[in-house]
Amino acid sequence: MESAGTITGEICHIHAQKAGGPRFDSTQTDEDRHGFDNLILLCRHHHRIVDSQPEAFSAEALEELKKIREKEMGRPEQATDAFFAKILLGDLRRVIVNKDSGNVIVDSPGAIQAHTVNLRTTRKALHIQPAAGTIGADQEASRYVQYLISRYN
């Protein structure tokens, strides 16, 4: 949890995704490298600490930490987890966050918070629309919220 109360997380590789990275394992296949077993969710602060001190945070230590947290959460790995991990990793490669302020939802099920989002796309036009089920997607609710803001603010 960030100091402002925002809950954030980063998908981190236990064994680095690139040669020269922390805990890189050259015997891993690309599929294993990006598979659920090699991923752990950490906050940005601890992601930096873990990757800057690979001798203190070995792959075995991170795997054990992941097992402990999964057990504490009371949810075993599910078949769909690998699918969502691939989606989130795909988004991770396309999204660059320049500043951590404001709220932006990028292609559910994952969400990021940012002031500026740069997207690389092969499409000629980029369409931005509110996420389904949000107030912004419901024009009537959106107008009513604007009315309340103007009336009481």
Side-chain angles (χ1 to χ4, degrees):
M1 182 175 287
E2 301 292 330
S3 58
T6 305
I7 299 174
T8 60
E10 294 183 352
I11 298 173
C12 312
H13 288 81
I14 294 172
H15 293 281
Q17 65 178 334
K18 296 179 183 174
R23 298 168 303 278
F24 180 76
D25 181 358
S26 61
T27 64
Q28 274 187 323
T29 65
D30 280 341
E31 187 175 325
D32 289 339
R33 194 166 286 120
H34 298 296
F36 184 81
D37 289 339
N38 192 47
L39 301 175
I40 186 169
L41 188 63
L42 298 172
C43 70
R44 178 174 292 147
H45 174 75
H46 286 105
H47 186 187
R48 288 182 190 147
I49 291 172
V50 163
D51 281 355
S52 68
Q53 301 175 32
E55 64 286 344
F57 297 94
S58 65
E60 293 78 19
L62 293 176
E63 289 165 351
E64 184 63 23
L65 176 65
K66 180 178 176 176
K67 285 179 189 173
I68 290 168
R69 293 297 292 153
E70 286 174 344
K71 188 175 180 180
E72 287 175 357
M73 300 311 293
R75 180 189 173 277
E77 180 181 345
Q78 297 175 0
T80 56
D81 291 342
F83 170 76
F84 288 117
K86 286 180 184 179
I87 290 173
L88 291 170
L89 284 170
D91 284 344
L92 181 64
R93 291 185 189 101
R94 291 191 316 262
V95 176
I96 300 167
V97 178
N98 289 327
K99 294 185 180 181
D100 291 333
S101 62
N103 292 319
V104 178
I105 296 177
V106 177
D107 196 26
S108 246
I112 63 166
Q113 292 191 351
H115 177 68
T116 302
V117 177
N118 299 319
L119 298 172
R120 291 187 302 255
T121 180
T122 57
R123 297 179 181 165
K124 292 183 181 183
L126 181 63
H127 299 283
I128 300 173
Q129 58 191 24
T134 64
I135 290 175
D138 181 340
Q139 292 297 317
E140 188 175 315
S142 185
R143 281 191 297 274
Y144 183 65
V145 168
Q146 289 299 319
Y147 163 76
L148 291 174
I149 290 170
S150 64
R151 179 172 167 87
Y152 295 105
N153 196 3

